[in-house]
Amino acid sequence: MSARVLVVDDERSMCELLETSLGKRGFEVISKTSAAEAFHTLTGGAFDVVVTDLNMKGMSGVELCERIVAEHPDTPVVVMTAFGSIETAVTAIRAGAYDFLTKPIELETLRLTIDRAVQHRALRAEVTRLRRAVSQSRRFDELIGSSPAMCRVYDLLDRVCEVDASVLVTGESGTGKEMVARALHRRGKRRSGPFVAINCAAVPENLLESELFGHARGAFTDAHSARPGLFLQASGGTLFLDEIAELPLALQPKLLRALQERTVRAVGSDAETPFDARIVTATNRDLEAMVEGQRFREDLFYRVNVIRVELPPLRERGADVLVLARHFIQHYATTFAKRVEGLTSQASQRLLAYAWPGNVRELQNCIERAVALTRLDAIDVEDLPPKVQHHRPAHAVIVADDPSEIAPLEEVERRYILGVLEAVGGSRTLAAQKLGLDRKTLYRKLEQYGVPKGSSKL
């Protein structure tokens, strides 16, 4: 649809000139020869831009601009005058004008100015919409989003936050598993106690036992004094064991005993010390497959998997992508002291089209980069990382006009399975669920296709 422009000038000839010229350039133009009449017309109908002369009989262009800004703040005003000077320009801008042009008007310059004003209006409308979406979106503590998948997560968290049952949080890397653990702690009855977190993959195996369970004085070299482990440090609060799948097999029986007996034995000690902490674990691995492969104890799996909270990948959360992007824009605009208010429609489309294999963490990184680089008040496509700019979803061709190009059924199946595996970020468990196959069947087919065992790369 063409933009609607309201032209205001007390010279009829100027109104007719602009009506004709802008009309030829695709705008829908209505003109008025008095500011009072123009304001009345604006009140009765929607216009994308107002172009007004500055010096007119009766109400001046500055007064008209002030009234429009006060009562129709979403409508940009472009001011024209035959008496161009710094003082008049400052007066117009202070009145709230979007831009200032001097007569005689260059029609192409006016067209470009109107185009920018229309884009500015659309951006402000998008910013308002996204702000409303952020304020109205459901959230659970720091988790943000209103997609059906996230609403199901919130409902489950709401039911389990006040009970002490063990919780296993699963999901791809970057989906916010630690945020879930912190939300459960802050919303639960242990909120006044400590929240203690450890990444089981980040601590060397020979130190992990001491870190978790503590050690007695003299238990090993440099153990000059006794030290309580994280289980005791978390007493009265929550202990979060991230990357639980990376726990060494040799240490798993001791963790199982601690969870069953609610006591820990420090390294080098014979004494059992009780602890009182809620246990939340997390992993991005398929623990059931690891149990089948004898890389994770089955009894420990059932002990930590009392209540499972499965976080959806970002690609399955729809418009949550834009809600989260707006949240991150607000944060980084403040951090970098930049006036960045939103996204252009083109940038929004690219964000929605991208698959986000790194999930929310990747989106956050993308927006931080975009806010840091942009020179505008809105993030545009050029501000996004190249892989987001140029992403094109992969589609398998199943039929073709030329019968010789039609693929055999086995080839179609191969392309489809590999396409689904790529779409879910390489997760074989999730791919099997989407395809309706059991994991062993999928693994066998992937082996036939030459995809190495343990690899997510195609």
Side-chain angles (χ1 to χ4, degrees):
M1 294 180 63
S2 61
R4 297 191 75 215
V5 181
L6 178 60
V7 172
V8 190
D9 198 302
D10 56 3
E11 293 184 15
R12 169 52 59 187
S13 59
M14 177 59 74
C15 288
E16 291 174 351
L17 171 64
L18 294 182
E19 272 194 68
T20 302
S21 300
L22 294 177
K24 290 180 179 179
R25 287 166 170 79
F27 297 106
E28 180 185 343
V29 185
I30 294 177
S31 63
K32 299 296 175 182
T33 55
S34 78
E37 187 180 4
F39 187 78
H40 178 74
T41 302
L42 181 63
T43 303
F47 288 87
D48 296 294
V49 185
V50 175
V51 178
T52 179
D53 190 23
L54 186 65
N55 297 290
M56 296 183 291
K57 298 173 183 177
M59 185 191 304
S60 70
V62 170
E63 292 173 303
L64 175 61
C65 184
E66 290 173 338
R67 292 190 64 180
I68 292 173
V69 169
E71 300 190 32
H72 304 279
D74 294 331
T75 304
V77 180
V78 177
V79 172
M80 309 178 295
T81 181
F83 307 97
S85 67
I86 294 178
E87 290 76 12
T88 52
V90 169
T91 300
I93 298 302
R94 282 179 176 172
Y98 170 76
D99 207 344
F100 176 88
L101 300 175
T102 58
K103 293 180 178 180
I105 297 295
E106 290 286 342
L107 293 175
E108 187 61 19
T109 300
L110 178 59
R111 181 192 68 79
L112 291 173
T113 302
I114 293 174
D115 281 340
R116 287 197 302 269
V118 170
Q119 292 173 8
H120 177 75
R121 184 175 191 267
L123 173 62
R124 291 190 62 176
E126 178 70 6
V127 168
T128 301
R129 188 187 69 78
L130 286 175
R131 281 177 176 165
R132 188 182 301 115
V134 170
S135 64
Q136 293 177 351
S137 65
R138 283 195 60 184
R139 57 189 301 162
F140 190 96
D141 206 76
E142 293 182 355
L143 298 165
I144 299 173
S146 299
S147 62
M150 287 306 294
C151 288
R152 288 192 291 270
V153 170
Y154 301 155
D155 292 340
L156 178 58
L157 294 178
D158 197 47
R159 283 183 283 163
V160 304
C161 62
E162 289 290 343
V163 298
D164 273 347
S166 296
V167 174
L168 172 64
V169 188
T170 61
E172 297 176 12
S173 179
T175 49
K177 295 184 287 295
E178 184 167 345
M179 292 177 69
V180 168
R182 292 184 180 276
L184 285 171
H185 175 72
R186 284 192 284 255
R187 293 288 190 96
K189 59 186 179 182
R190 295 175 175 271
R191 64 182 67 87
S192 59
F195 177 86
V196 179
I198 182 173
N199 186 324
C200 298
V203 181
E205 184 175 344
N206 61 330
L207 297 178
L208 187 56
E209 182 179 5
S210 172
E211 191 72 17
L212 289 173
F213 306 113
H215 61 257
R217 180 180 178 183
F220 49 82
T221 305
D222 295 330
H224 302 301
S225 60
R227 180 178 179 275
L230 298 184
F231 274 87
L232 295 181
Q233 293 178 37
S235 285
T238 302
L239 175 61
F240 175 52
L241 303 176
D242 197 7
E243 304 290 357
I244 187 69
E246 310 306 319
L247 194 70
L249 266 173
L251 195 54
Q252 291 180 24
K254 188 164 185 176
L255 175 60
L256 175 63
R257 176 176 175 79
L259 297 180
Q260 287 176 333
E261 305 298 328
R262 307 295 293 181
T263 62
V264 292
R265 180 184 297 177
V267 177
S269 172
D270 295 328
E272 296 279 351
T273 305
F275 71 89
D276 176 31
R278 180 181 194 166
I279 307 300
V280 179
T281 57
T283 182
N284 61 2
R285 303 280 295 278
D286 184 346
L287 283 185
E288 290 167 301
M290 293 183 68
V291 169
E292 290 179 7
Q294 298 184 343
R295 289 171 291 145
F296 197 86
R297 290 181 62 107
E298 185 176 19
D299 45 7
L300 179 57
F301 169 70
Y302 288 120
R303 179 60 63 179
V304 299
N305 188 36
V306 177
I307 298 172
R308 180 182 295 199
V309 177
E310 188 169 351
L311 289 178
L314 186 55
R315 62 183 168 275
E316 295 182 3
R317 293 177 55 181
D320 280 357
V321 171
L322 298 183
V323 174
L324 287 164
R326 175 62 199 165
H327 171 75
F328 293 137
I329 288 171
Q330 289 177 333
H331 172 76
Y332 288 114
T334 301
T335 301
F336 299 145
K338 296 185 70 174
R339 185 177 179 180
V340 183
E341 297 184 341
L343 299 154
T344 65
S345 59
Q346 293 85 355
S348 297
Q349 291 169 9
R350 297 298 171 88
L351 295 185
L352 289 171
Y354 185 62
W356 300 110
N359 294 293
V360 179
R361 186 184 295 122
E362 183 182 7
L363 175 62
Q364 182 175 1
N365 177 273
C366 167
I367 297 301
E368 180 180 7
R369 175 189 187 277
V371 173
L373 293 180
T374 188
R375 293 187 176 94
L376 307 173
D377 56 359
I379 293 172
D380 205 353
V381 173
E382 290 73 19
D383 303 315
L384 302 175
K387 61 182 178 180
V388 179
Q389 290 184 38
H390 307 302
H391 174 73
R392 294 291 182 272
H395 299 286
V397 177
I398 296 178
V399 296
D401 294 332
D402 184 352
S404 65
E405 295 180 1
I406 298 177
L409 183 59
E410 290 183 0
E411 174 62 13
V412 171
E413 180 186 71
R414 186 189 74 84
R415 295 181 192 178
Y416 186 71
I417 288 176
L418 295 180
V420 170
L421 184 64
E422 180 183 10
V424 299
S427 169
R428 298 185 178 208
T429 299
L430 188 55
Q433 293 173 358
K434 298 293 184 185
L435 291 164
L437 300 173
D438 61 72
R439 287 195 303 275
K440 290 182 179 178
T441 300
L442 177 61
Y443 292 170
R444 176 174 53 79
K445 287 182 178 293
L446 292 177
E447 188 175 354
Q448 292 174 357
Y449 303 154
V451 179
K453 187 178 268 189
S455 170
S456 64
K457 297 189 176 182
L458 308 184

PDB file of all heavy atoms in Angstrom, residues 353-375:
ATOM      1  N   ALA A 353      13.812 -16.705  10.292  1.00  0.00           N
ATOM      2  CA  ALA A 353      14.132 -17.753   9.317  1.00  0.00           C
ATOM      3  C   ALA A 353      15.317 -18.607   9.749  1.00  0.00           C
ATOM      4  O   ALA A 353      15.426 -19.762   9.343  1.00  0.00           O
ATOM      5  CB  ALA A 353      14.427 -17.121   7.957  1.00  0.00           C
ATOM      6  N   TYR A 354      16.199 -18.055  10.585  1.00  0.00           N
ATOM      7  CA  TYR A 354      17.420 -18.765  10.972  1.00  0.00           C
ATOM      8  C   TYR A 354      17.090 -19.895  11.950  1.00  0.00           C
ATOM      9  O   TYR A 354      16.153 -19.808  12.734  1.00  0.00           O
ATOM     10  CB  TYR A 354      18.403 -17.766  11.592  1.00  0.00           C
ATOM     11  CG  TYR A 354      19.751 -18.335  11.920  1.00  0.00           C
ATOM     12  CD1 TYR A 354      20.570 -18.856  10.921  1.00  0.00           C
ATOM     13  CD2 TYR A 354      20.224 -18.348  13.227  1.00  0.00           C
ATOM     14  CE1 TYR A 354      21.822 -19.370  11.217  1.00  0.00           C
ATOM     15  CE2 TYR A 354      21.472 -18.844  13.535  1.00  0.00           C
ATOM     16  CZ  TYR A 354      22.269 -19.363  12.534  1.00  0.00           C
ATOM     17  OH  TYR A 354      23.500 -19.871  12.835  1.00  0.00           O
ATOM     18  N   ALA A 355      17.875 -20.969  11.919  1.00  0.00           N
ATOM     19  CA  ALA A 355      17.582 -22.180  12.708  1.00  0.00           C
ATOM     20  C   ALA A 355      18.101 -22.111  14.149  1.00  0.00           C
ATOM     21  O   ALA A 355      17.687 -22.905  14.985  1.00  0.00           O
ATOM     22  CB  ALA A 355      18.170 -23.405  12.019  1.00  0.00           C
ATOM     23  N   TRP A 356      19.038 -21.214  14.463  1.00  0.00           N
ATOM     24  CA  TRP A 356      19.591 -21.028  15.810  1.00  0.00           C
ATOM     25  C   TRP A 356      20.097 -22.329  16.438  1.00  0.00           C
ATOM     26  O   TRP A 356      19.596 -22.786  17.474  1.00  0.00           O
ATOM     27  CB  TRP A 356      18.562 -20.367  16.731  1.00  0.00           C
ATOM     28  CG  TRP A 356      18.140 -19.025  16.239  1.00  0.00           C
ATOM     29  CD1 TRP A 356      16.929 -18.685  15.721  1.00  0.00           C
ATOM     30  CD2 TRP A 356      18.956 -17.844  16.157  1.00  0.00           C
ATOM     31  NE1 TRP A 356      16.931 -17.369  15.313  1.00  0.00           N
ATOM     32  CE2 TRP A 356      18.158 -16.829  15.573  1.00  0.00           C
ATOM     33  CE3 TRP A 356      20.265 -17.555  16.516  1.00  0.00           C
ATOM     34  CZ2 TRP A 356      18.648 -15.554  15.336  1.00  0.00           C
ATOM     35  CZ3 TRP A 356      20.755 -16.277  16.282  1.00  0.00           C
ATOM     36  CH2 TRP A 356      19.947 -15.297  15.698  1.00  0.00           C
ATOM     37  N   PRO A 357      21.116 -22.952  15.835  1.00  0.00           N
ATOM     38  CA  PRO A 357      21.672 -24.171  16.440  1.00  0.00           C
ATOM     39  C   PRO A 357      22.261 -23.932  17.828  1.00  0.00           C
ATOM     40  O   PRO A 357      22.314 -24.845  18.644  1.00  0.00           O
ATOM     41  CB  PRO A 357      22.755 -24.600  15.435  1.00  0.00           C
ATOM     42  CG  PRO A 357      23.074 -23.357  14.653  1.00  0.00           C
ATOM     43  CD  PRO A 357      21.784 -22.591  14.582  1.00  0.00           C
ATOM     44  N   GLY A 358      22.701 -22.687  18.093  1.00  0.00           N
ATOM     45  CA  GLY A 358      23.212 -22.357  19.429  1.00  0.00           C
ATOM     46  C   GLY A 358      22.149 -21.840  20.374  1.00  0.00           C
ATOM     47  O   GLY A 358      22.458 -21.430  21.498  1.00  0.00           O
ATOM     48  N   ASN A 359      20.892 -21.811  19.898  1.00  0.00           N
ATOM     49  CA  ASN A 359      19.736 -21.465  20.727  1.00  0.00           C
ATOM     50  C   ASN A 359      19.818 -20.058  21.316  1.00  0.00           C
ATOM     51  O   ASN A 359      20.355 -19.173  20.684  1.00  0.00           O
ATOM     52  CB  ASN A 359      19.535 -22.542  21.795  1.00  0.00           C
ATOM     53  CG  ASN A 359      19.146 -23.869  21.161  1.00  0.00           C
ATOM     54  OD1 ASN A 359      18.064 -23.992  20.599  1.00  0.00           O
ATOM     55  ND2 ASN A 359      20.035 -24.849  21.228  1.00  0.00           N
ATOM     56  N   VAL A 360      19.279 -19.864  22.522  1.00  0.00           N
ATOM     57  CA  VAL A 360      19.162 -18.515  23.090  1.00  0.00           C
ATOM     58  C   VAL A 360      20.533 -17.878  23.265  1.00  0.00           C
ATOM     59  O   VAL A 360      20.712 -16.675  23.072  1.00  0.00           O
ATOM     60  CB  VAL A 360      18.401 -18.558  24.431  1.00  0.00           C
ATOM     61  CG1 VAL A 360      18.311 -17.151  25.032  1.00  0.00           C
ATOM     62  CG2 VAL A 360      17.002 -19.131  24.239  1.00  0.00           C
ATOM     63  N   ARG A 361      21.531 -18.686  23.620  1.00  0.00           N
ATOM     64  CA  ARG A 361      22.882 -18.138  23.798  1.00  0.00           C
ATOM     65  C   ARG A 361      23.395 -17.546  22.491  1.00  0.00           C
ATOM     66  O   ARG A 361      24.011 -16.478  22.474  1.00  0.00           O
ATOM     67  CB  ARG A 361      23.824 -19.225  24.307  1.00  0.00           C
ATOM     68  CG  ARG A 361      25.224 -18.697  24.646  1.00  0.00           C
ATOM     69  CD  ARG A 361      26.159 -19.812  25.061  1.00  0.00           C
ATOM     70  NE  ARG A 361      25.735 -20.431  26.301  1.00  0.00           N
ATOM     71  CZ  ARG A 361      25.455 -21.725  26.442  1.00  0.00           C
ATOM     72  NH1 ARG A 361      25.535 -22.524  25.400  1.00  0.00           N
ATOM     73  NH2 ARG A 361      25.108 -22.213  27.602  1.00  0.00           N
ATOM     74  N   GLU A 362      23.139 -18.217  21.368  1.00  0.00           N
ATOM     75  CA  GLU A 362      23.579 -17.704  20.067  1.00  0.00           C
ATOM     76  C   GLU A 362      22.813 -16.436  19.699  1.00  0.00           C
ATOM     77  O   GLU A 362      23.401 -15.480  19.166  1.00  0.00           O
ATOM     78  CB  GLU A 362      23.380 -18.765  18.985  1.00  0.00           C
ATOM     79  CG  GLU A 362      23.897 -18.322  17.621  1.00  0.00           C
ATOM     80  CD  GLU A 362      23.662 -19.339  16.525  1.00  0.00           C
ATOM     81  OE1 GLU A 362      22.978 -20.354  16.777  1.00  0.00           O
ATOM     82  OE2 GLU A 362      24.154 -19.117  15.398  1.00  0.00           O
ATOM     83  N   LEU A 363      21.505 -16.410  19.985  1.00  0.00           N
ATOM     84  CA  LEU A 363      20.719 -15.200  19.717  1.00  0.00           C
ATOM     85  C   LEU A 363      21.239 -14.024  20.531  1.00  0.00           C
ATOM     86  O   LEU A 363      21.368 -12.906  20.026  1.00  0.00           O
ATOM     87  CB  LEU A 363      19.246 -15.452  20.033  1.00  0.00           C
ATOM     88  CG  LEU A 363      18.320 -14.241  19.924  1.00  0.00           C
ATOM     89  CD1 LEU A 363      18.281 -13.699  18.497  1.00  0.00           C
ATOM     90  CD2 LEU A 363      16.913 -14.593  20.386  1.00  0.00           C
ATOM     91  N   GLN A 364      21.542 -14.260  21.795  1.00  0.00           N
ATOM     92  CA  GLN A 364      22.070 -13.198  22.645  1.00  0.00           C
ATOM     93  C   GLN A 364      23.386 -12.663  22.084  1.00  0.00           C
ATOM     94  O   GLN A 364      23.607 -11.441  22.026  1.00  0.00           O
ATOM     95  CB  GLN A 364      22.268 -13.722  24.068  1.00  0.00           C
ATOM     96  CG  GLN A 364      22.781 -12.667  25.038  1.00  0.00           C
ATOM     97  CD  GLN A 364      22.851 -13.179  26.470  1.00  0.00           C
ATOM     98  OE1 GLN A 364      22.534 -14.335  26.757  1.00  0.00           O
ATOM     99  NE2 GLN A 364      23.259 -12.334  27.381  1.00  0.00           N
ATOM    100  N   ASN A 365      24.259 -13.554  21.665  1.00  0.00           N
ATOM    101  CA  ASN A 365      25.526 -13.144  21.071  1.00  0.00           C
ATOM    102  C   ASN A 365      25.298 -12.337  19.797  1.00  0.00           C
ATOM    103  O   ASN A 365      25.959 -11.322  19.548  1.00  0.00           O
ATOM    104  CB  ASN A 365      26.361 -14.398  20.769  1.00  0.00           C
ATOM    105  CG  ASN A 365      27.676 -14.078  20.092  1.00  0.00           C
ATOM    106  OD1 ASN A 365      27.734 -13.983  18.879  1.00  0.00           O
ATOM    107  ND2 ASN A 365      28.733 -13.931  20.867  1.00  0.00           N
ATOM    108  N   CYS A 366      24.331 -12.783  18.978  1.00  0.00           N
ATOM    109  CA  CYS A 366      24.000 -12.094  17.724  1.00  0.00           C
ATOM    110  C   CYS A 366      23.531 -10.664  17.991  1.00  0.00           C
ATOM    111  O   CYS A 366      23.967  -9.714  17.325  1.00  0.00           O
ATOM    112  CB  CYS A 366      22.920 -12.886  16.982  1.00  0.00           C
ATOM    113  SG  CYS A 366      22.127 -12.022  15.619  1.00  0.00           S
ATOM    114  N   ILE A 367      22.636 -10.501  18.973  1.00  0.00           N
ATOM    115  CA  ILE A 367      22.097  -9.168  19.266  1.00  0.00           C
ATOM    116  C   ILE A 367      23.160  -8.267  19.898  1.00  0.00           C
ATOM    117  O   ILE A 367      23.230  -7.067  19.595  1.00  0.00           O
ATOM    118  CB  ILE A 367      20.867  -9.281  20.179  1.00  0.00           C
ATOM    119  CG1 ILE A 367      19.747 -10.050  19.469  1.00  0.00           C
ATOM    120  CG2 ILE A 367      20.377  -7.910  20.598  1.00  0.00           C
ATOM    121  CD1 ILE A 367      19.275  -9.426  18.173  1.00  0.00           C
ATOM    122  N   GLU A 368      23.996  -8.827  20.752  1.00  0.00           N
ATOM    123  CA  GLU A 368      25.084  -8.029  21.340  1.00  0.00           C
ATOM    124  C   GLU A 368      25.976  -7.471  20.229  1.00  0.00           C
ATOM    125  O   GLU A 368      26.334  -6.287  20.224  1.00  0.00           O
ATOM    126  CB  GLU A 368      25.909  -8.882  22.297  1.00  0.00           C
ATOM    127  CG  GLU A 368      27.058  -8.113  22.944  1.00  0.00           C
ATOM    128  CD  GLU A 368      27.876  -8.954  23.904  1.00  0.00           C
ATOM    129  OE1 GLU A 368      27.642 -10.169  23.979  1.00  0.00           O
ATOM    130  OE2 GLU A 368      28.764  -8.387  24.580  1.00  0.00           O
ATOM    131  N   ARG A 369      26.326  -8.315  19.273  1.00  0.00           N
ATOM    132  CA  ARG A 369      27.156  -7.883  18.136  1.00  0.00           C
ATOM    133  C   ARG A 369      26.434  -6.817  17.325  1.00  0.00           C
ATOM    134  O   ARG A 369      27.029  -5.798  16.943  1.00  0.00           O
ATOM    135  CB  ARG A 369      27.455  -9.100  17.257  1.00  0.00           C
ATOM    136  CG  ARG A 369      28.195  -8.796  15.969  1.00  0.00           C
ATOM    137  CD  ARG A 369      28.233 -10.055  15.091  1.00  0.00           C
ATOM    138  NE  ARG A 369      29.069  -9.875  13.912  1.00  0.00           N
ATOM    139  CZ  ARG A 369      28.676  -9.308  12.784  1.00  0.00           C
ATOM    140  NH1 ARG A 369      27.440  -8.831  12.685  1.00  0.00           N
ATOM    141  NH2 ARG A 369      29.509  -9.201  11.757  1.00  0.00           N
ATOM    142  N   ALA A 370      25.153  -7.030  17.054  1.00  0.00           N
ATOM    143  CA  ALA A 370      24.400  -6.099  16.220  1.00  0.00           C
ATOM    144  C   ALA A 370      24.270  -4.732  16.876  1.00  0.00           C
ATOM    145  O   ALA A 370      24.427  -3.702  16.220  1.00  0.00           O
ATOM    146  CB  ALA A 370      23.019  -6.677  15.921  1.00  0.00           C
ATOM    147  N   VAL A 371      23.973  -4.714  18.172  1.00  0.00           N
ATOM    148  CA  VAL A 371      23.855  -3.429  18.879  1.00  0.00           C
ATOM    149  C   VAL A 371      25.201  -2.709  18.894  1.00  0.00           C
ATOM    150  O   VAL A 371      25.269  -1.487  18.730  1.00  0.00           O
ATOM    151  CB  VAL A 371      23.335  -3.651  20.322  1.00  0.00           C
ATOM    152  CG1 VAL A 371      23.382  -2.345  21.115  1.00  0.00           C
ATOM    153  CG2 VAL A 371      21.914  -4.197  20.293  1.00  0.00           C
ATOM    154  N   ALA A 372      26.278  -3.454  19.062  1.00  0.00           N
ATOM    155  CA  ALA A 372      27.603  -2.838  19.087  1.00  0.00           C
ATOM    156  C   ALA A 372      27.981  -2.235  17.735  1.00  0.00           C
ATOM    157  O   ALA A 372      28.634  -1.187  17.678  1.00  0.00           O
ATOM    158  CB  ALA A 372      28.647  -3.878  19.512  1.00  0.00           C
ATOM    159  N   LEU A 373      27.538  -2.875  16.633  1.00  0.00           N
ATOM    160  CA  LEU A 373      27.983  -2.444  15.302  1.00  0.00           C
ATOM    161  C   LEU A 373      27.072  -1.433  14.635  1.00  0.00           C
ATOM    162  O   LEU A 373      27.529  -0.645  13.807  1.00  0.00           O
ATOM    163  CB  LEU A 373      28.112  -3.670  14.389  1.00  0.00           C
ATOM    164  CG  LEU A 373      29.209  -4.676  14.735  1.00  0.00           C
ATOM    165  CD1 LEU A 373      29.201  -5.827  13.732  1.00  0.00           C
ATOM    166  CD2 LEU A 373      30.576  -4.012  14.766  1.00  0.00           C
ATOM    167  N   THR A 374      25.772  -1.446  14.934  1.00  0.00           N
ATOM    168  CA  THR A 374      24.846  -0.620  14.168  1.00  0.00           C
ATOM    169  C   THR A 374      25.108   0.870  14.351  1.00  0.00           C
ATOM    170  O   THR A 374      25.481   1.316  15.440  1.00  0.00           O
ATOM    171  CB  THR A 374      23.382  -0.950  14.541  1.00  0.00           C
ATOM    172  OG1 THR A 374      22.514  -0.255  13.642  1.00  0.00           O
ATOM    173  CG2 THR A 374      23.059  -0.525  15.976  1.00  0.00           C
ATOM    174  N   ARG A 375      24.909   1.627  13.271  1.00  0.00           N
ATOM    175  CA  ARG A 375      25.018   3.089  13.326  1.00  0.00           C
ATOM    176  C   ARG A 375      23.635   3.735  13.339  1.00  0.00           C
ATOM    177  O   ARG A 375      23.522   4.946  13.338  1.00  0.00           O
ATOM    178  CB  ARG A 375      25.809   3.606  12.129  1.00  0.00           C
ATOM    179  CG  ARG A 375      27.285   3.204  12.117  1.00  0.00           C
ATOM    180  CD  ARG A 375      28.023   3.918  10.988  1.00  0.00           C
ATOM    181  NE  ARG A 375      29.438   3.639  10.998  1.00  0.00           N
ATOM    182  CZ  ARG A 375      30.025   2.678  10.294  1.00  0.00           C
ATOM    183  NH1 ARG A 375      29.279   1.893   9.539  1.00  0.00           N
ATOM    184  NH2 ARG A 375      31.329   2.495  10.343  1.00  0.00           N
TER     185      ARG A 375
END
